[in-house]
Amino acid sequence: IVITQTPLSAPVTLGQPASISCRSSQSLVDSDGRTYLSWLQQRPGQPPRLLIYRVSNRFSGVPDRFSGSGAGTEFTLKISRVEAEDVGVYYCMQTTQFPYTFGQGTKLEIK
Amino acid sequence: QGQLVQSGAEVQKPGASVRVSCKASGYTFIGYYIHWVRQAPGQGLEWMGWINPNSGGTSYAQKFQGRVTMTRDTSINTAYMELSRLRSDDTAVYYCARMYYYDRWFDPWGQGTLVTVSS
C-alpha cells in the first residue's frame, strides 16, 4: 500500500491551525472492520512519537489540539493552534496490511 | 508505560553483518510484538519486520528477506535485529518499537541506533 502525504512542507504561524493529509492507494479498512492508520511526530534528533491511532484516537498524553479524521483512503491530521514545540516531521502510517508503510513525511515549521 | 533502550552506534564495512539490541523494561516483554523500522539519513521511515517475543515467530518485509534475522532472549527481555551482507545504502538509524496488537499502534520507540556502512 502506497501512502501519499501532502503537503511535504507546511510553514505555519504560531497560534494558527495546520492540516496534513494522507491518501492511501487502497482502502485501509481491515477484514475486522477497523482502520489502522496512525500519525507520528518526529522532532529533530528524536525517535518517532505516537500521536493518533486508528484514525482518530488520541494517544495518552497527546494534547487535545491534535486531532485525526478520515475513512477508507483519505485521512487528515489537524493541529488547532500550532505551538513552537510542534516543529518536526509528521508521518502517517498504515498497519492494515503487510508490509506496513509510511507516508513521505510533512515538515512542519514556524513562519 | 514501558521503555526500549537500544545498543550503541556501529560502523561496519560493506559485506559485514551488524546486530542491534533492544532491551525492554517496565512492561511484560512477551506480551507485545517488537517491530523494527529504519530511517536513512534525511529520509523517511521504512518498516523491516516484526518478532513475537513469546513464540519467537517472525515476519520480514520482502525487501530484507534473506538478509535480516530477528531474535529475542526472554531471560533478559531483549530483542535483536541482525542485518547481513551490509551495503552502503544500509546506512541508517534503526529503531525498535513495541506494537499493541489490538489497536496496532507503535509505542514506545527505542532511541535509535545509527549503523554506518563504510569501507
Side-chain angles (χ1 to χ4, degrees):
Chain A
I1 297 177
V2 176
I3 300 181
T4 303
Q5 203 172 319
T6 56
L8 298 184
S9 177
V12 183
T13 302
L14 285 174
Q16 293 300 301
S19 180
I20 300 168
S21 296
C22 274
R23 172 178 292 177
S24 58
S25 59
Q26 56 188 273
S27 173
L28 297 185
V29 180
D30 204 347
S31 56
D32 60 9
R34 292 171 156 218
T35 302
Y36 297 101
L37 186 284
S38 301
W39 289 95
L40 308 170
Q41 175 196 60
Q42 187 174 33
R43 291 171 173 150
Q46 296 293 313
R49 167 198 176 199
L50 177 66
L51 296 176
I52 303 286
Y53 65 94
R54 278 207 298 118
V55 181
S56 59
N57 295 274
R58 202 176 305 114
F59 192 63
S60 174
V62 175
D64 61 7
R65 63 179 182 275
F66 290 94
S67 64
S69 63
T73 62
E74 302 277 348
F75 305 93
T76 302
L77 174 71
K78 291 184 179 177
I79 309 174
S80 58
R81 294 173 305 280
V82 171
E83 298 187 5
E85 67 178 17
D86 299 336
V87 165
V89 180
Y90 291 78
Y91 295 94
C92 56
M93 172 188 185
Q94 68 83 18
T95 51
T96 294
Q97 183 180 128
F98 290 122
Y100 294 168
T101 49
F102 299 85
Q104 308 98 304
T106 295
K107 187 173 185 178
L108 184 77
E109 52 192 10
I110 306 301
K111 279 183 186 175
Chain B
Q1 293 283 33
Q3 185 180 15
L4 299 174
V5 177
Q6 298 182 221
S7 48
E10 299 255 10
V11 179
Q12 297 290 344
K13 294 189 184 306
S17 298
V18 69
R19 191 175 81 156
V20 178
S21 68
C22 172
K23 183 172 177 60
S25 62
Y27 73 95
T28 303
F29 178 61
I30 60 172
Y32 299 81
Y33 285 30
I34 293 288
H35 289 248
W36 291 87
V37 173
R38 76 177 186 179
Q39 185 172 38
Q43 302 300 309
L45 301 166
E46 181 176 31
W47 180 80
M48 299 179 69
W50 58 256
I51 182 167
N52 176 348
N54 188 34
S55 66
T58 57
S59 179
Y60 307 136
Q62 188 168 9
K63 173 176 180 176
F64 301 102
Q65 290 273 3
R67 285 209 303 143
V68 70
T69 305
M70 296 176 188
T71 58
R72 92 293 190 215
D73 184 338
T74 56
S75 69
I76 55 172
N77 292 346
T78 299
Y80 302 93
M81 186 284 300
E82 181 169 4
L83 190 62
S84 63
R85 302 195 300 278
L86 290 168
R87 308 184 293 253
S88 58
D89 61 357
D90 290 319
T91 294
V93 175
Y94 290 76
Y95 295 103
C96 59
R98 179 184 70 169
M99 187 187 82
Y100 178 56
Y101 182 83
Y102 185 67
D103 288 319
R104 300 187 202 168
W105 47 247
F106 284 24
D107 182 85
W109 292 62
Q111 82 277 20
T113 297
L114 175 62
V115 174
T116 302
V117 183
S118 173
S119 55

